[in-house]
Structure formats: C-alpha cells, structure tokens
Amino acid sequence: MKYYKFYKENYMKVWNHLVDTSVPYIRSILASISIIISPLKIKRKLSELETSLENVSLQNGILKEYTEEINRNKSEIETSLENVLLQNRILKEYTEEMNQNKSELETSLENISLQNRILKEHAEEMNRNKSELETSLENISLQNRILKEYAEEMNRNQIEFDNLSLNLPNSLQNINISSVPLDETSGILNWPELLTDKLHTNTFSELIRIFKLFGEEDKVVNKLSSCWSLLSQKNLDQLLEHGYNNFKRTIGHNYFNFLVQQGDPQIKAAEALLSDDLIESCRIMALSIQTEPHLSHVKLFSYYYFVFLLWEYVKQIDTKQYLEQLSEPNEGNPILVVANEKSMSQDLANSLIEYYAIDNAVSFQSINTILEIGGGYGRNAFVILSLNPNARIILVDILPALYIAQRYLSSVFKNRRLFKVRSFSSYAEVKDKIEESSIIFLMPHQLELMPDKSIDLCMNISSFGEMGTEQIKWYYTHIDRLVTQYFYTKQWFVSKNPFDDLVLNKSDYPSFNNWKEIFSRNCAVQSDFFETLYQVNHQ
C-alpha cells in the first residue's frame, strides 16, 4: 500500500510538470527556428508535434482511468482487509469459545465418569440389598411358618387362652392365682395393672389371643402382601422393643405421621398456604424447642417446624371451632408441640384436615355408622368420636394395628362400649353385641359377615396402595355392598410397592357405575396424594 501511494503522488507531479513546461518551450523553439526551417518542414513538425500531444492526451486519459481503477482496487482491498480482520476476530472468539467448550466437555466427562462410578457402586449395593431382601423374605416365610405352627400348638396346649373372653373384666376379680387372691397377687408381684380392667385385658396375652384368631383364618384377604408382611414385622419388633406406651413415637411413624426432613415437599406445600409472618413465627417456635432424645437437632427442627406449619393451616380452615373440643391424648407418648398452652400433634392436625374434607362436603350430622379400613392406631376414630358422641365406628385392620387400636381407644374412651376382636361365623351370633357397641374391631374377612347397607360412611387413608390388586378389588366390592352414603379415600397418586413388584396409579383403583364423585382433588399439604369423596349407590 505505501509503495503504491508513493508512486501515485510522485508520478503525477512529474508528469504534470512536464506537460506544463514542455509545450510552451517547444512552441518557443519552433518560433525561433521558423526563420531557418522551411514552412513545409515546420508544418510537418507541427503535425508530428500535434500527434505527440494527442498521444500524450490519450496517455493522460488512460492514466486517469488507470488511476481510477487503482482507487477502486484500493477501496476493494481496504474492504477485503477489513473483512479479513473481522474474520480473524470472529475466528479468535470462536477459538476461545471452543477452548471453553472443550474445558466444559472435559469437566462433563469427568462428572459422567464419577456418576458412572457412583451408579456402579449403587448397583452393587442394590444387588447386595436384593440378596439381603431375598434372605429376609425367606426368613419371614420361615417365621410365618413357625408362627403358624406355634399358633397350632397354642390351640392344642394353651387352653387358658380360651378363657380370655370379653367377659374377663367381670370374672377376673373372683379368680385366685395359685390359691392366692387377686389383690394379694397384685401386691406380691408388684403388678397393679392386674386390678385394672382396661389394662389387664389389653396385655401381651390379649395380643397373643388376637394372633391366635388371625392364625385360625385362611381367607385371601387376611393373607398379607409382601409389603405388609415386612411392615408388620417392623411394627411388631418396635412394639416389643419400645412397648405400647411409646407407640406414637415408633409404630405411629409407620402409619401417617411423617418424620419430615428439610426440603420435604410437605413443608413447601404448607409454607405456600401461609403468610410470611406466620412462616417466620413457626420457624422461631420450632427453634425454641431444644431436646428430644430420639431425634437429631436437624430432624427435630424440621419435624417441629412442619407440625407448627400444619397447625397454622388447620387454624385457618377451622371454621367450626372444632379445635376447641380436641386435644392430643398423652396415651402412647406422642411428640407434642405446645402453643398458647394447647398441646398439638401432627396426627391430630392431619385427622382434622381429613375430617373437614368430608364434613365440608357432607355433614357428619347425617352420618351414624363409620367404617375405617386400615385405621392404624385409631387417630381418625379419636377425632370422629370426640366430635360426634352418638357416632359408631368400625375399625378393620391387621396385626399389630388392630391390637394397638383396641387398647388405645378403650383407654381414651373409657365409657364407650367396645366390641373387641373375636371369632364368629355369622352376624346373628354377635348382632346384639355389635349393635349395642360404639367401637367395633373386626378382622378383614369378617366384613363378609356384616349385613348389606349397614354403613353410612367408609374411609381409607393410604393403605390400599400397600395391598395386592385382588385384596383391593375385594374391599371395593364389599364397600359397594355395605355402604349406603359415602366413601372417602386418600391415596398416593403413584404408589410403588417394590416388595410385590406392584405400581398403582390413581386410575388403577376400581370404580362403579352407581358411584358419583362429589370431589376428587390434590391434597393441600400432602401434595403427592389425592383425595376423593364418592356418593355410593347414587341413583
């Protein structure tokens, strides 16, 4: 570029100077020599000079065009250079981006390698767990066989269990043990419970008696799924290790009392229902509770924080002031929170939320007899009976839940008449006893013996998802036969039961043409659950 510029500037100067100075000079010479050159020669010379001048003019025109072309080329070269610079800059940025992507890709590959290693370790652990589970299932099968043999042996050799009937409270005071009066035996053995009807009829002997009754039945509905075989074993182990007096801190968490941790969806759902001020108040109250022997500080805070959130939500929906009539019983040693001198628990809050779900749609005043399938230890029964003194409730469950519910409800409702677990082959045998009782405990297969259209409301909270499909179908068939008004169900949207290799979705549960949905919706707090209320036998 610089040589071109130099050439252009100096060449034009020289040429212009030559043109400007040579023409006059030539003319002057011609004038001087005209006197000595013949006119003819002068004419010829002038012609030649004019031809030269025309050539110079032509050369000037060509040079001008060439200069213009050079200028155009210069512009194109400058544009090309700019494009080259732009392309170089783009190439540089692209190279930098490629280097960055290369670094990210290397990091991703390292993460994938790490994830693959973790996945491999997890798969190995799953295989070990599978092997352990298969061993556990074999042990459970062996234990069930031993238990059945033990029950058969008890039938043959333990005749005293046959004397543990519902008339025991009336007759036990007259029995002498080893020829020693009952009150004396109580003092000698430091066994005061022996003199208390409610306690000595709910002891370990009562649990064994109920075991015996279950062992005598071979109905399909009584046969536990693999899932419930494991859960029952866990519940029984906790009952034997920690005792009945602590069941709300152990077995209770296997029903519908969640030991929530930080980040639990229930916490987020409850927070979404409350104002920021209430959320902060719950946080402060949860932080103020310091000690709980069997929970770490982190779990303790999350649990109490969730219970406070739950109760703030309950207070918002408590339009009928039911809270004023309820307080969590100390029976079973519950984990309580206290606010404004009122003891509260997660179980009581959940039960009241479920109660309102039904009561806001169909008043409990129109309901007399309630059947709860899988009622656990009786948390819903406690709320229903506390708010409806004239109501009757039938609880159907398996062991050890049925034993715990019988012991719990007989303790908190001391003046209520109970129909305890017993064997009967027809409803006529027990009709009078059942109809004069306000709390009835049945084994699952005994629903077959109950009369048609004898139930106003049936409930099930999160236990159908742990059953086999045949058991679910069996229950739904009897719900349709027994219920005159309503059926309330609250289940997981997706229930995964790996022990029976079973996945249940909401759409998998049976339905009947004569059932009408009153509502079906997501649960407000347990967002992974749905709740549906049916009008049964709708015409």
Side-chain angles (χ1 to χ4, degrees), residues 29-254:
I29 292 173
L30 290 175
S32 299
I33 65 172
S34 62
I35 56 173
I36 59 174
I37 301 173
S38 64
L40 182 60
K41 290 182 178 180
I42 291 173
K43 184 177 180 180
R44 188 172 60 249
K45 292 294 183 181
L46 286 174
S47 177
E48 292 174 358
L49 181 60
E50 287 175 354
T51 301
S52 298
L53 288 175
E54 288 175 358
N55 290 337
V56 169
S57 177
L58 177 61
Q59 290 174 352
N60 283 340
I62 293 171
L63 182 62
K64 183 178 180 182
E65 292 175 357
Y66 181 69
T67 302
E68 291 174 351
E69 184 178 357
I70 289 174
N71 287 334
R72 286 196 300 275
N73 291 339
K74 175 190 173 184
S75 176
E76 291 175 358
I77 290 171
E78 289 174 348
T79 302
S80 297
L81 287 173
E82 290 175 357
N83 290 336
V84 169
L85 290 174
L86 176 61
Q87 290 173 354
N88 285 341
R89 187 166 65 252
I90 294 172
L91 182 60
K92 182 180 178 181
E93 292 173 355
Y94 180 71
T95 303
E96 291 174 351
E97 184 179 357
M98 286 294 289
N99 288 334
Q100 182 179 353
N101 291 340
K102 177 184 176 183
S103 176
E104 292 175 355
L105 179 60
E106 289 173 348
T107 302
S108 298
L109 289 174
E110 290 174 358
N111 290 336
I112 290 171
S113 177
L114 176 61
Q115 290 173 354
N116 285 339
R117 187 166 64 252
I118 293 172
L119 185 61
K120 182 179 178 182
E121 293 173 356
H122 182 66
E124 292 173 352
E125 183 180 357
M126 287 291 289
N127 287 333
R128 289 194 299 272
N129 291 341
K130 178 183 177 183
S131 177
E132 293 173 359
L133 179 60
E134 289 173 348
T135 302
S136 298
L137 290 174
E138 290 174 359
N139 291 336
I140 290 170
S141 178
L142 177 62
Q143 290 172 355
N144 287 339
R145 188 164 65 251
I146 292 172
L147 184 61
K148 183 176 181 180
E149 292 173 357
Y150 180 64
E152 292 172 353
E153 182 179 355
M154 287 179 63
N155 285 333
R156 292 191 301 270
N157 302 324
Q158 300 296 321
I159 192 67
E160 61 268 24
F161 287 123
D162 294 333
N163 297 324
L164 288 173
S165 65
L166 293 178
N167 295 322
L168 187 59
N170 299 323
S171 59
L172 194 55
Q173 298 294 337
N174 299 321
I175 297 176
N176 292 337
I177 299 178
S178 300
S179 303
V180 178
L182 195 63
D183 56 351
E184 223 176 298
T185 300
S186 174
I188 293 172
L189 299 179
N190 190 23
W191 191 2
E193 294 86 357
L194 192 62
L195 298 177
T196 307
D197 288 349
K198 293 293 183 184
L199 291 180
H200 68 56
T201 58
N202 282 317
T203 58
F204 186 70
S205 296
E206 178 68 359
L207 176 61
I208 297 300
R209 183 185 74 84
I210 299 175
F211 256 117
K212 175 187 173 182
L213 293 176
F214 270 90
E216 292 173 346
E217 298 297 335
D218 194 29
K219 300 286 186 178
V220 172
V221 71
N222 283 350
K223 292 181 179 179
L224 304 184
S225 63
S226 297
C227 177
W228 263 109
S229 293
L230 291 168
L231 286 172
S232 293
Q233 181 176 346
K234 177 183 179 181
N235 293 342
L236 283 167
D237 286 347
Q238 289 179 327
L239 181 62
L240 294 175
E241 182 178 356
H242 302 286
Y244 164 83
N245 290 330
N246 291 300
F247 79 82
K248 286 183 180 177
R249 291 172 178 260
T250 56
I251 300 171
H253 295 303
N254 302 333

Side-chain angles (χ1 to χ4, degrees), residues 257-273:
N257 189 313
F258 300 95
L259 283 173
V260 297
Q261 300 180 27
Q262 187 176 7
D264 191 288
Q266 291 186 82
I267 294 179
K268 295 180 180 180
E271 288 174 336
L273 298 169

Side-chain angles (χ1 to χ4, degrees), residues 468-487:
T469 54
E470 288 301 313
Q471 289 173 311
I472 295 172
K473 182 178 179 181
W474 186 93
Y475 275 112
Y476 269 71
T477 299
H478 284 287
I479 290 169
D480 184 60
R481 180 181 67 84
L482 292 169
V483 176
T484 61
Q485 296 190 54
Y486 309 109
F487 170 46

Side-chain angles (χ1 to χ4, degrees), residues 270-499:
E271 288 174 336
L273 298 169
L274 304 175
S275 67
D276 291 341
D277 290 342
L278 284 177
I279 291 172
E280 184 60 24
S281 174
C282 292
R283 193 182 307 277
I284 292 171
M285 287 190 291
L287 286 170
S288 68
I289 302 175
Q290 299 297 325
T291 58
E292 186 64 48
H294 73 296
L295 291 176
S296 68
H297 179 72
V298 175
K299 287 185 177 180
L300 177 67
F301 167 76
S302 297
Y303 183 85
Y304 280 129
Y305 176 54
F306 173 62
V307 175
F308 279 120
L309 292 173
L310 203 58
W311 271 95
E312 288 298 334
Y313 172 65
V314 169
K315 285 192 281 187
Q316 288 185 0
I317 66 171
D318 185 31
T319 57
K320 301 176 184 179
Q321 287 75 52
Y322 290 144
L323 280 176
E324 297 176 3
Q325 306 174 51
L326 297 170
S327 182
E328 178 67 40
N330 290 323
E331 186 86 4
N333 193 20
I335 302 176
L336 297 173
V337 298
V338 179
N340 299 323
E341 300 182 351
K342 188 172 185 65
S343 296
M344 302 174 291
S345 71
Q346 185 185 152
D347 275 341
L348 191 57
N350 280 328
S351 295
L352 196 52
I353 290 171
E354 291 153 3
Y355 185 91
Y356 262 111
I358 299 170
D359 194 49
N360 284 340
V362 291
S363 174
F364 265 91
Q365 293 180 357
S366 65
I367 296 169
N368 181 46
T369 302
I370 301 101
L371 165 65
E372 184 170 15
I373 299 169
Y377 72 81
R379 64 175 181 88
N380 281 309
F382 168 75
V383 169
I384 292 171
L385 294 173
S386 296
L387 298 178
N388 301 276
N390 295 324
R392 301 167 64 246
I393 192 157
I394 301 171
L395 289 177
V396 172
D397 216 322
I398 59 175
L399 286 172
L402 200 59
Y403 162 76
I404 296 172
Q406 179 175 287
R407 182 167 179 176
Y408 176 68
L409 294 175
S410 66
S411 298
V412 296
F413 295 110
K414 293 182 171 60
N415 297 322
R416 293 248 183 187
R417 190 182 295 274
L418 273 62
F419 181 89
K420 292 189 175 183
V421 185
R422 68 174 76 179
S423 178
F424 57 91
S425 58
S426 70
Y427 183 72
E429 291 179 32
V430 292
K431 179 178 181 298
D432 292 340
K433 292 291 184 182
I434 286 180
E435 293 180 358
E436 68 185 17
S437 300
S438 63
I439 310 176
I440 298 104
F441 301 93
L442 299 178
M443 293 180 284
H445 71 278
Q446 292 174 331
L447 279 180
E448 291 181 327
L449 305 176
M450 298 297 290
D452 293 356
K453 311 307 176 192
S454 56
I455 307 296
D456 298 315
L457 166 69
C458 178
M459 302 172 59
N460 179 268
I461 313 295
S462 186
S463 64
F464 283 148
E466 295 153 349
M467 300 180 189
T469 54
E470 288 301 313
Q471 289 173 311
I472 295 172
K473 182 178 179 181
W474 186 93
Y475 275 112
Y476 269 71
T477 299
H478 284 287
I479 290 169
D480 184 60
R481 180 181 67 84
L482 292 169
V483 176
T484 61
Q485 296 190 54
Y486 309 109
F487 170 46
Y488 173 77
T489 178
K490 180 176 180 179
Q491 313 293 335
W492 291 92
F493 274 107
V494 180
S495 178
K496 298 180 180 179
N497 176 359
F499 307 108

